[in-house]
C-alpha cells in the first residue's frame, strides 16, 4: 500500500483550490477594469523627498533631488540610494479586486523583492515578489491600503486596475510628525527581510510618525546628508553611522570630525528637532580591514566624546548606546547587521528613550482615583499617583472605570494598590485606548465583600451570582486597545466568573449551557504591538 497516496478529502481540497484560482482568473479576464494612473490625486506616496510622477509612472525617491544631484561625494553608492526602504503607495477603494503594476527602476540596486500590503492598518498580504499582483477585497468595504515597496530592489509604480464601476476614495487628511533615520546598511535594513522589519519602520509605527529612511547600505559618514532636511521640519532625527568608516584607510578621528560637523549642523539648523545619536550596536568585528588603528571600541569612544561635547551647547541633542539593546550575536543576522528581533530590540530602545526622556511632558500628581481618571484623558504628561490603598468604589457608581484615552503619557502607579469589590462593576476597570502610553507599577485585585480569598465549595459559590460568581460578561479587568502601549510591573489578581471551577465544561462563548458570566485579567487588541513586561 502506498502511504503517500492522497486521500479523497485531500483531492477535494486540491480541487477546491484549483476551482477558486480559475474563478479568480476568469473574473480578472472577463471584468472590465478601471485604470488609475500614478498621477491620480487620490494616490499618496509616503516616505519620499523627491518624486517624478506622470500619467504612466511614478519614480519615488527617499532622498531629495538636491542630494541626489549635488551630494554625491564618494561616500555612498547611487544605485543603493535609489532603493525605497520605507516608501509606500497609499490609496482607498471598495474595489473587490485591485491590481498593482510596477517595473524595475533603472540604475537601481536589484535584490530580492518583497512587497507588503496593509489593509486598514493590518498586514493583509506579504512576501509578494511579482512586479504585477492582485489583492482581494471580497467584502467590498471602502478600505485604506498601504503598499510598502521592496527595501533593496528599486521599482517604479505604473498604476492600478480596479474592478468595473469602482473608483478611489479620498484618503483621510494626516498631519503626523516626521521621523528621519540617518545611517548605513543597519538603518537601510540589511539583515532583515523587508522594509516592515527595519528598526526605522518600527520606530515610526510605534510613535505614529511619518518616516523617511535615509540609510544607505555601505555608506560612510558625510555632512552632505543634511541636504535632505532642507524644507523639512522633522520631530525626530536618529543618527547611527560609522561602521563602514572603521574599514577605511583614513583614521577614525577624521571620520568623527565629519560626524561632529553633521550633528552640530542638525542641532543648529533645526533647533526644534530632537536629534538622537546612537552609538554603534553590537558587532563581532573588532578592528578595521584596512587600518588596524580603526577599531569598533575607538568608534564608540569617539562618538561618545563628540556627542557629549556638543550636548554642552545643544539642548536638543541626545545619546543612547546601541549595545544596550543589541548586545549579542543572537540579535544579528551576520557579523554586524541586525536580524528581525535585533531590529525590534533597537526600535524599542529608541522609542523608550524618546517617550521617557526626550518628549516634553507636563508633570501631574494625583492622590485619588477620580483625579487619576481625569488626568489620563489628556496627553503628553508624566502622571504620578501617590502610593497607597485605593478602592474602585471610591468612584461614582456610574463611572467606575479608568479610561486612559490620552496618548504619550507615563502613568506611574508604583506603590499603588487598587481593590475592586466583585459585583459592583459591570465593565472593564482599566481601559488604555490611547497610544504610546507607559503604564507601570499598579497592583489591582478583585475582592469579595465577604472577605473570601479561596473558593473550596464550588456549588455554594456558584449559587451567589451577585457578589461571588459575578463576571464581566467576558470582559477583562484591564483592556488595551491603543497602539504602542507598554504595561510594566502590573499585578492583577482576578476573581469572579460563573460557573466557577468547571473550566469550559459547560461551553464557551454563545454555545453554553447555563449562561456564562466570565472575566479575564488582561486583553490586548492593538493593531500595532503593545507590550507587557
Amino acid at each position: 500500500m502506498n502511504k503517500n497516496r492522497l486521500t479523497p478529502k485531500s483531492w477535494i481540497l486540491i480541487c477546491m483550490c484549483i476551482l477558486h484560482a480559475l474563478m479568480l482568473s476568469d473574473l480578472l479576464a472577463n471584468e472590465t477594469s478601471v485604470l488609475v494612473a500614478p498621477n491620480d490625486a487620490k494616490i499618496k506616496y509616503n516616505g519620499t523627498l523627491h518624486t517624478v510622477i506622470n500619467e504612466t509612472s511614478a519614480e519615488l525617491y527617499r532622498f531629495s533631488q538636491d542630494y541626489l544631484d549635488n551630494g554625491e561625494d564618494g561616500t555612498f553608492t547611487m544605485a543603493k540610494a535609489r532603493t525605497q526602504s520605507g516608501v509606500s503607495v497609499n490609496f482607498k477603494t471598495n474595489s473587490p479586486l485591485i491590481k498593482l503594476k510596477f517595473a524595475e527602476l533603472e540604475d537601481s540596486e536589484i535584490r530580492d523583492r518583497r512587497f507588503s500590503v496593509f489593509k486598514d492598518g493590518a498586514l493583509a498580504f506579504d512576501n509578494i515578489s511579482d512586479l504585477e499582483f492582485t489583492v482581494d477585497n471580497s467584502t467590498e468595504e471602502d478600505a485604506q491600503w498601504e503598499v510598502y515597496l521592496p527595501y533593496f530592489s528599486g521599482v517604479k509604480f505604473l498604476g492600478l486596475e480596479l474592478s468595473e464601476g469602482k473608483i478611489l476614495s479620498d484618503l483621510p487628511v494626516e498631519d503626523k510628525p516626521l521621523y528621519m533615520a540617518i545611517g548605513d546598511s543597519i538603518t537601510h535594513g540589511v539583515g532583515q527581510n523587508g522594509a516592515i522589519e527595519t528598526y526605522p519602520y518600527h520606530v515610526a509605527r510605534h510613535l505614529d510618525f511619518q518616516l523617511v529612511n535615509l540609510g544607505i547600505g555601505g555608506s560612510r559618514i558625510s555632512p552632505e546628508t543634511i541636504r535632505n532636511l532642507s524644507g523639512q521640519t522633522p520631530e525626530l532625527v536618529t543618527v547611527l553611522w560609522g561602521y563602514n568608516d572603521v574599514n577605511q584607510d583614513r583614521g577614525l578621528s577624521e571620520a568623527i570630525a565629519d560626524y561632529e560637523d553633521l550633528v552640530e549642523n542638525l542641532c543648529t539648523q533645526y533647533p526644534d528637532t530632537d536629534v538622537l545619536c546612537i552609538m554603534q550596536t553590537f558587532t563581532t568585528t573588532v578592528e578595521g580591514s584596512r587600518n588596524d588603528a580603526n577599531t569598533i571600541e575607538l568608534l564608540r569612544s569617539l562618538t561618545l566624546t563628540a556627542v557629549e561635547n556638543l550636548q554642552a551647547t545643544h539642548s536638543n541633542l541626545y545619546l543612547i548606546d546601541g549595545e544596550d539593546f543589541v548586545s549579542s550575536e543572537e540579535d544579528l543576522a551576520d557579523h554586524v547587521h541586525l536580524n528581525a528581533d535585533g531590529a525590534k530590540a533597537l526600535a524599542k530602545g529608541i522609542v523608550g528613550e524618546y517617550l521617557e526622556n526626550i518628549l516634553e511632558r507636563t508633570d501631574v500628581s494625583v492622590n485619588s482615583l477620580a483625579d487619576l481618571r481625569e488626568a489620563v484623558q489628556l496627553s503628553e504628561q508624566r502622571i504620578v499617583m501617590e502610593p497607597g490603598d485605593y478602592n474602585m468604589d471610591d468612584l461614582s457608581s456610574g463611572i467606575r472605570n479608568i479610561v486612559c484615552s490620552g496618548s504619550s503619557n507615563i502613568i506611574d502607579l508604583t506603590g499603588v494598590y487598587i481593590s475592586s469589590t466583585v459585583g459592583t462593576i459591570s465593565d472593564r476597570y482599566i481601559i488604555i485606548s490611547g497610544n504610546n502610553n507607559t503604564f507601570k507599577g499598579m497592583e489591582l485585585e478583585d475582592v469579595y465583600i465577604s472577605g473570601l480569598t479561596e473558593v473550596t465549595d464550588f456549588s455554594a459559590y456558584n449559587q451567589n451570582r451577585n457578589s461571588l460568581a459575578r463576571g464581566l460578561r467576558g470582559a477583562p479587568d484591564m483592556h488595551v486597545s491603543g497602539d504602542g502601549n507598554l504595561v510594566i510591573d502590573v499585578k492583577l489578581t482576578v476573581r469572579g466568573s460563573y460557573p466557577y471551577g468547571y473550566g469550559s465544561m459547560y461551553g464557551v462563548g454563545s454555545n453554553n449551557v447555563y449562561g456564562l458570566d466570565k472575566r479575564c485579567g488582561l486583553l490586548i487588541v492593538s493593531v500595532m504591538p503593545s507590550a507587557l513586561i
Side-chain angles (χ1 to χ4, degrees):
M1 180 176 180
N2 185 357
K3 294 182 179 180
N4 295 322
R5 184 177 180 181
L6 293 174
T7 64
K9 183 177 180 180
S10 299
W11 278 113
I12 292 173
L13 290 173
I14 291 172
C15 290
M16 289 177 65
C17 290
I18 294 173
L19 180 61
H20 179 267
L22 290 173
M23 290 175 64
L24 179 60
S25 176
D26 185 63
L27 181 60
L28 287 169
N30 296 318
E31 190 174 65
T32 302
S33 298
V34 177
L35 302 179
V36 181
N39 62 353
D40 190 289
K42 293 183 178 180
I43 299 176
K44 296 190 181 301
Y45 303 101
N46 290 336
T48 64
L49 294 180
H50 171 51
T51 58
V52 179
I53 304 173
N54 55 43
E55 61 183 12
T56 60
S57 68
E59 296 183 12
L60 311 171
Y61 299 101
R62 298 178 286 144
F63 298 92
S64 69
Q65 185 172 7
D66 176 41
Y67 181 72
L68 295 174
D69 291 345
N70 305 306
E72 191 171 8
D73 57 359
T75 61
F76 69 93
T77 302
M78 184 62 71
K80 294 177 181 177
R82 289 169 66 86
T83 60
Q84 295 142 328
S85 187
V87 175
S88 65
V89 179
N90 304 266
F91 55 91
K92 187 176 183 181
T93 183
N94 63 351
S95 177
L97 295 172
I98 306 158
K99 186 174 184 179
L100 295 105
K101 298 182 176 183
F102 296 88
E104 288 187 354
L105 180 64
E106 296 84 354
D107 301 319
S108 169
E109 185 91 357
I110 303 295
R111 300 191 186 180
D112 293 338
R113 279 191 298 268
R114 175 186 174 185
F115 292 92
S116 300
V117 182
F118 287 78
K119 178 182 178 182
D120 289 333
L123 186 61
F125 304 93
D126 199 9
N127 296 308
I128 302 169
S129 59
D130 294 336
L131 287 170
E132 292 191 5
F133 57 90
T134 300
V135 295
D136 181 12
N137 182 31
S138 56
T139 61
E140 297 192 36
E141 57 189 309
D142 203 16
Q144 187 169 332
W145 298 85
E146 285 178 287
V147 181
Y148 279 88
L149 306 189
Y151 75 136
F152 233 112
S153 187
V155 297
K156 54 186 177 182
F157 179 54
L158 305 182
L160 301 169
E161 289 185 11
L162 306 180
S163 299
E164 184 177 10
K166 301 299 182 179
I167 59 174
L168 297 183
S169 303
D170 290 324
L171 285 165
V173 176
E174 292 185 337
D175 186 23
K176 294 182 178 182
L178 175 61
Y179 164 47
M180 306 180 84
I182 296 172
D184 48 35
S185 53
I186 299 174
T187 300
H188 195 152
V190 175
Q192 300 98 64
N193 292 320
I196 65 170
E197 293 185 4
T198 65
Y199 83 79
Y201 170 84
H202 288 304
V203 170
R205 202 76 170 182
H206 274 281
L207 295 177
D208 198 26
F209 283 11
Q210 287 283 359
L211 168 66
V212 173
N213 187 328
L214 298 176
I216 305 177
S219 66
R220 302 188 302 279
I221 297 167
S222 171
E224 291 292 327
T225 196
I226 201 168
R227 292 175 181 269
N228 293 295
L229 276 75
S230 179
Q232 305 299 320
T233 55
E235 187 79 14
L236 174 66
V237 172
T238 58
V239 184
L240 173 54
W241 224 355
Y243 178 83
N244 294 311
D245 292 272
V246 173
N247 294 308
Q248 299 300 310
D249 292 322
R250 76 168 181 168
L252 277 175
S253 58
E254 294 182 46
I256 292 300
D258 286 342
Y259 180 95
E260 194 166 356
D261 186 20
L262 169 65
V263 173
E264 183 169 25
N265 286 334
L266 286 171
C267 294
T268 301
Q269 296 179 32
Y270 301 91
D272 295 327
T273 295
D274 295 314
V275 179
L276 177 60
C277 293
I278 306 167
M279 291 168 59
Q280 179 63 49
T281 50
F282 176 82
T283 171
T284 58
T285 300
V286 176
E287 61 185 32
S289 58
R290 299 184 185 178
N291 184 341
D292 293 345
N294 289 350
T295 66
I296 293 297
E297 280 309 307
L298 180 59
L299 171 66
R300 290 169 51 77
S301 176
L302 292 175
T303 302
L304 174 63
T305 300
V307 174
E308 287 182 340
N309 289 339
L310 290 171
Q311 284 179 320
T313 53
H314 297 286
S315 61
N316 60 331
L317 178 59
Y318 304 86
L319 176 69
I320 61 172
D321 188 345
E323 281 197 352
D324 287 344
F325 313 104
V326 178
S327 57
S328 73
E329 291 184 61
E330 292 183 357
D331 299 316
L332 301 183
D334 51 33
H335 60 286
V336 65
H337 298 111
L338 313 182
N339 57 29
D341 289 338
K344 287 181 180 179
L346 181 57
K348 181 179 178 181
I350 295 170
V351 170
E353 176 69 12
Y354 181 78
L355 295 179
E356 288 275 352
N357 300 318
I358 299 178
L359 180 65
E360 292 186 3
R361 289 185 171 86
T362 303
D363 291 328
V364 178
S365 298
V366 296
N367 57 14
S368 71
L369 291 181
D371 288 345
L372 176 65
R373 189 179 193 277
E374 182 177 348
V376 295
Q377 297 177 51
L378 304 177
S379 299
E380 297 185 5
Q381 306 166 102
R382 189 183 304 272
I383 304 167
V384 179
M385 190 168 192
E386 183 178 325
D389 295 350
Y390 301 85
N391 191 291
M392 295 295 286
D393 293 346
D394 298 340
L395 296 170
S396 301
S397 59
I399 53 170
R400 283 185 182 159
N401 61 8
I402 297 171
V403 181
C404 305
S405 55
S407 295
S408 300
N409 287 320
I410 297 175
I411 306 168
D412 189 350
L413 274 60
T414 303
V416 170
Y417 168 83
I418 303 175
S419 59
S420 178
T421 305
V422 173
T424 61
I425 300 177
S426 59
D427 197 3
R428 301 154 292 178
Y429 304 166
I430 308 290
I431 301 170
I432 305 178
S433 57
N435 302 321
N436 299 314
N437 294 293
T438 298
F439 191 103
K440 61 182 181 180
M442 173 192 69
E443 180 177 352
L444 176 64
E445 182 175 9
D446 284 312
V447 298
Y448 297 116
I449 195 171
S450 64
L452 181 70
T453 58
E454 183 179 358
V455 180
T456 56
D457 187 341
F458 295 163
S459 179
Y461 175 92
N462 285 316
Q463 290 179 33
N464 184 344
R465 295 193 63 177
N466 290 321
S467 59
L468 292 180
R470 179 72 175 272
L472 295 174
R473 296 172 295 177
D477 284 3
M478 190 171 187
H479 185 266
V480 182
S481 58
D483 294 337
N485 292 294
L486 189 61
V487 179
I488 306 174
D489 293 334
V490 169
K491 178 181 179 182
L492 304 176
T493 302
V494 182
R495 297 188 175 99
S497 295
Y498 174 85
Y500 184 90
Y502 297 95
S504 301
M505 183 182 297
Y506 294 106
V508 177
S510 59
N511 298 318
N512 64 81
V513 177
Y514 288 114
L516 305 181
D517 190 9
K518 298 287 189 177
R519 72 173 72 209
C520 66
L522 174 69
L523 177 63
I524 300 176
V525 294
S526 311
V527 173
M528 284 304 298
S530 291
L532 176 66
I533 299 177

